[in-house]
Amino acid sequence: INAEYMGVPICDSFPIRHAIQRLNLGGRDVTTYLARLFYESGVNLCKSGDLQTVREIKEKHSFLRSGNAEAPKVQYTLPDGTCVELGSEMHRAPELLFQTDLISREDPAIDALAFKSVMLCDIDSRRGLFSNILLAGGNTCLAGFQERMQEGLDTLAPVGLAGGIKVLAPAERKYSTWIGAAMIASFPTFEAQWITAETYADEGNPCIHEYGLSCQGAA
């Protein structure tokens, strides 16, 4: 998601709604911050038309690092033929998800968000949830994201959970939302929950909100 990340604890196939947490930062913020870092290093990619280029650079070369690993330098050719060197910007930009104060935000870091989400659940469920932290979304595909998340959660873990937290990064996590939606939409019972084009044409947006509230009540 470009706009936000969410921590959604799920027990017995149902989300624990009161424990859902949101981080109002997303891939777009990482891209914008990367453009700013480029500008500070003398590479001006701040125009609206340049953000797609910055996004492509982010997706191909950005990474999260654990500890004090050296950041490799990479030569990259921009669409206009200019060759630039990519350095520390490539790990400093996505690090804002774990250090939101880098852009003067007071939001909790993404590892703290996941930790809080689990801790808001029933104490008997926490160990199972901590052992199955599942990553999903495009930016979780950045190199080193899984390791950085694991490092952050291990730091936050209480003594009794030492070694019991496991961050899972399935290969298809970039498309997890679509895969899950497709599976649900394939259930025969889902057909009764559709909002038809005719209903939407007659009632407009209110029918969507009404449907959302009825689903929450049913859950």
Side-chain angles (χ1 to χ4, degrees), residues 118-198:
V118 174
M119 292 301 289
L120 286 172
C121 295
D122 185 84
I123 190 170
D124 294 330
S125 303
R126 293 174 190 170
R127 187 171 294 275
L129 290 168
F130 273 126
S131 65
N132 289 280
I133 304 291
L134 187 68
L135 301 180
N139 279 277
T140 68
C141 295
L142 296 178
F145 192 101
Q146 179 183 12
E147 294 79 4
R148 182 67 179 83
M149 188 72 164
Q150 183 74 56
E151 180 184 89
L153 287 169
D154 285 343
T155 300
L156 293 168
V159 176
L161 276 171
I165 296 180
K166 188 172 183 180
V167 178
L168 308 175
E172 70 280 4
R173 61 190 178 280
K174 183 176 181 179
Y175 307 107
S176 293
T177 301
W178 299 103
I179 293 171
M183 292 174 64
I184 292 174
S186 69
F187 295 160
T189 54
F190 186 72
E191 196 169 325
Q193 300 175 8
W194 291 352
I195 297 175
T196 65
E198 292 79 8

Side-chain angles (χ1 to χ4, degrees), residues 22-45:
R22 289 178 172 82
L23 171 61
N24 293 318
L25 287 174
R28 187 181 298 113
D29 298 283
V30 176
T31 301
T32 302
Y33 185 47
L34 180 57
R36 185 178 122 188
L37 293 175
F38 279 147
Y39 182 78
E40 291 173 356
S41 65
V43 180
N44 189 352
L45 292 172

Side-chain angles (χ1 to χ4, degrees), residues 27 30-31 54-62 139 142:
V30 176
T31 301
V54 177
R55 178 181 176 182
E56 291 174 2
I57 294 174
K58 177 193 72 174
E59 292 177 351
K60 292 178 180 177
H61 299 290
S62 282
N139 279 277
L142 296 178

